[in-house]
Amino acid sequence: MTDQPTTRRSRPTFTDQEALQFHAQGRPGKLEIVPTKPMATQRDLSLAYSPGVAVPVKAIAENPSLAFDYTTRSNMVAVISNGTAILGLGNLGALASKPVMEGKSVLFKRFADVDSIDLEVDTEDPDAFINCVRYLGPSFGGINLEDIKAPECFIIEERLRELMDIPVFHDDQHGTAIIAAAGLINALHLTDRDMAKTKLVVNGAGAAGIACTELLKAMGFAPKNVILCDTKGVIYQGRTEGMNQWKSAHAVETKARTLAEALDGADAVFGLSAKGAFSDDMIRSMAPNPIIFAMANPDPEITPEEVSRIRDDVIIATGRSDYPNQVNNVLGFPYIFRGALDVQATTINMEMKVAAAQALADLAREDVPDEVAAAYQGARPRFGREYIIPVPFDPRLIHTIPQAVARAAMDTGVARRPIVDMRAYKAQLSARRDPVAGTLNGIFERVRRFPKRVVFAEGEEEQVIRAALSFVNQGLGRAILVGREDRIHATAEAAGIDLEGREGIEIHNARLSHRNSTYAQFLYERLQRKGFLFRDCQRLINQDRNHFAASMVALGDADAMVTGATRNYSTALADVRHVVDAKPGHRVIGVSLCLARGRAVLVADTAIHEMPSAQELAEIAIEAAGVARRLGYEPRVALLSFSTFGHPRAERAEKIQEAVRILDGMRLDFEYDGEMSADVALNRDVTVQYPFCRLTGPANVLVMPAFHSASISTKMLQELGGAMVLGPMVVGLDRAIQIVSLGATDTDIVNMAALAAYNIGG
């Protein structure tokens, strides 16, 4: 395992005015409530409210657990504060805490698809606060307490956990503890330490400090080896000054009385205190390879730069995003509640917290996807001293942490609705954050059942190697990397990827392949009347990986192929077309899958036909409808134009009308109509103005009048509308071949490789 070089990423900067404008622009604040059921007709209103609502009311009265089925309770968390400890700003009151609580609710939704509402309780009296919250219990599936000062936070959480049958979680305590514990697990591993023998100092005896101490002891730290300190020094047995019951629980027998004395010879220290709390001498006095978590916000107890001037054998983490190893609570609370809600847990117990910490630690040891690497501006993080904690934008968090939490809840008997099929649950979790994942899950499952040999043509590229490894690790089949073996291994080694002895990955060098003469002869027979000599074909097979890889597929030496990461789409397609023909009776087109606001729409042709004729448009519609079926959608095809059913009249619109007439002359088993504008095709309320329209619902396949309109619209949807766009997928070839966009990430390549293995194009 290789450590990445120390790099400090620049902190995002903004003015106070920009922050205010961000919160004020448009709808003030950061949240809105959107109905999940239609409210367009009187019947809708009757079902949503009176009299229809009486039916679930009676059902819940008879069986209270049905509230999880008929209301938002199963996916709703309340974020509650009284504003007595807002971030690092102190006691500014309940109302001032509202922007923070709204932000917390946004994070719940963004990272784990948990619906959340913020509640600000205007009292500093713990009993009044407790009574307020306890009676709100039926509204929510969980309670996230936030920014409440110690020691009141301990009293409030403990009492609410006793009184309520839903999870109550004070994130300032347990969130920090869980993330820090995950990082510490990995730091101990890297420094070859035994948890039971490690000497730890925790500086700061507030909510987070005490929670860290409790969690680490539950995980295996020996109580005698954990020294807790506060502003008055070491919390030792017999001390009376500044003590309370929570501090007393962690008092130890020791001669140390100051933080400096406690740190002398210590293996690790957790800082949950204030800027500057750790001096140079304190750091020097620690044991070899010390572990320092300086988590004070916004400024740590000591910075990584200061530590590096003192000694060079340190593993350090902070709460800051501009340093490696950020202890960020967003890695925990959204996913912990996701798992707890999904099994309808009655509480979040210690075992669930430990499971979350261990899952986070394990995730940091895995190879990271491109989405994570992009945030490091090209310096891909690898497990080591400066990457011991996953980063918040790692897409794997959503299906890793909730699973671990849910399992722990079931194992400890606090799950009211256990999950039977954990594989299906993982797929559901992936779909919550990434719509493409939801659409692809069925395809991935089929490919796993019938794994294929897929050729990755550009095998010397780092993202392609990563994609091939991921393809194999996900159980999708065997990966064949085309390229020079020494170059592939050198690229993999430089990227920290271990390919030695890796089961399921093959490397084929085109020039050295025993099949290249066969491929060259095959290609020559295809191209000899198109201006190619035998030596031209031989050179293409020996030197061009697309021709070699496509020949492997064409002659049955592989099942499918993916390429395009290093070449223009049209160039890669031209290479492939030298080797593979269109499937008999089919037209080769490009289809993109767009997912936005919970809707999936296929757009064609987004890659090949610049100005299709009426006949070509009809054939594009048929091919695209076939793709919709293979993806599990019942196709409703709209042939688009700037005009709708003859208005305004225009020569180009007549071509669309002719395409519809051509389709009318065929016996087709899917809905289609045109010409129509995009809003008529997609918006049912607009479509009703045309009662003769053949589509029974909003279109899910859009046939564009030209390549330029298809390409422009999908890219605008992606950039301005926040849509997820997969493709263009190549459809209509006689072999299973897909082309990614130039510069595609490893995730894009894996998705397209899976589509190729599934043979989505034919």
Side-chain angles (χ1 to χ4, degrees), residues 209-250:
I210 288 176
C212 286
T213 303
E214 291 177 347
L215 179 60
L216 292 174
K217 287 180 180 179
M219 292 173 62
F221 269 80
K224 66 179 181 178
N225 290 336
V226 181
I227 295 179
L228 182 64
C229 299
D230 62 10
T231 55
K232 300 184 185 303
V234 172
I235 295 172
Y236 57 90
Q237 288 186 4
R239 183 180 129 175
T240 58
E241 185 182 8
M243 296 294 285
N244 57 42
Q245 67 188 77
W246 298 279
K247 292 181 183 180
S248 296
H250 302 290

Side-chain angles (χ1 to χ4, degrees), residues 419-483:
I419 294 168
V420 177
D421 187 342
M422 291 303 287
R423 172 177 272 190
Y425 178 51
K426 179 180 179 180
Q428 293 167 11
L429 290 168
S430 296
R432 281 187 177 276
R433 179 171 179 185
D434 183 358
V436 172
T439 301
L440 291 178
N441 273 330
I443 291 172
F444 273 60
E445 284 303 313
R446 180 183 173 105
V447 173
R448 287 189 185 99
R449 288 196 299 271
F450 305 99
K452 300 292 193 297
R453 294 180 71 205
V454 176
V455 186
F456 293 76
E458 299 147 309
E460 294 179 4
E461 304 300 315
E462 181 183 331
Q463 74 267 40
V464 176
I465 297 171
R466 290 185 183 281
L469 184 60
S470 177
F471 185 84
V472 171
N473 287 342
Q474 292 185 59
L476 299 172
R478 297 183 67 84
I480 301 170
L481 292 168
V482 176

Side-chain angles (χ1 to χ4, degrees), residues 369-556:
D370 281 348
E371 291 90 334
V372 175
Y376 282 77
Q377 301 174 346
R380 182 179 295 272
R382 302 178 210 149
F383 178 60
R385 289 176 176 267
E386 295 194 357
Y387 185 70
I388 58 174
I389 305 172
V391 287
F393 36 80
D394 192 321
R396 300 167 297 176
L397 289 162
I398 182 61
H399 63 71
T400 300
I401 313 307
Q403 273 197 102
V405 171
R407 277 199 180 97
M410 292 187 290
D411 291 344
T412 55
V414 299
R416 282 178 284 206
R417 185 172 291 183
I419 294 168
V420 177
D421 187 342
M422 291 303 287
R423 172 177 272 190
Y425 178 51
K426 179 180 179 180
Q428 293 167 11
L429 290 168
S430 296
R432 281 187 177 276
R433 179 171 179 185
D434 183 358
V436 172
T439 301
L440 291 178
N441 273 330
I443 291 172
F444 273 60
E445 284 303 313
R446 180 183 173 105
V447 173
R448 287 189 185 99
R449 288 196 299 271
F450 305 99
K452 300 292 193 297
R453 294 180 71 205
V454 176
V455 186
F456 293 76
E458 299 147 309
E460 294 179 4
E461 304 300 315
E462 181 183 331
Q463 74 267 40
V464 176
I465 297 171
R466 290 185 183 281
L469 184 60
S470 177
F471 185 84
V472 171
N473 287 342
Q474 292 185 59
L476 299 172
R478 297 183 67 84
I480 301 170
L481 292 168
V482 176
R484 291 161 291 186
E485 189 165 0
D486 58 338
R487 291 288 297 273
I488 291 174
H489 280 290
T491 301
E493 185 177 355
I497 304 169
D498 183 12
L499 288 182
E500 292 296 336
R502 179 73 67 167
E503 186 70 26
I505 293 183
E506 305 172 23
I507 298 175
H508 286 226
N509 185 327
R511 184 178 291 277
L512 302 179
S513 172
H514 70 280
R515 294 282 284 166
N516 59 4
S517 60
T518 303
Y519 296 159
Q521 184 62 42
F522 167 74
L523 189 60
Y524 179 56
E525 291 173 3
R526 291 179 53 82
L527 301 180
Q528 59 191 355
R529 293 182 180 273
K530 297 180 181 180
F532 287 79
L533 301 175
F534 180 77
R535 64 173 177 264
D536 299 325
C537 296
Q538 197 167 37
R539 185 172 60 251
L540 286 174
I541 293 299
N542 287 342
Q543 298 179 8
D544 187 88
R545 290 163 197 155
N546 282 341
H547 287 84
F548 180 85
S551 296
M552 290 187 73
V553 177
L555 294 182

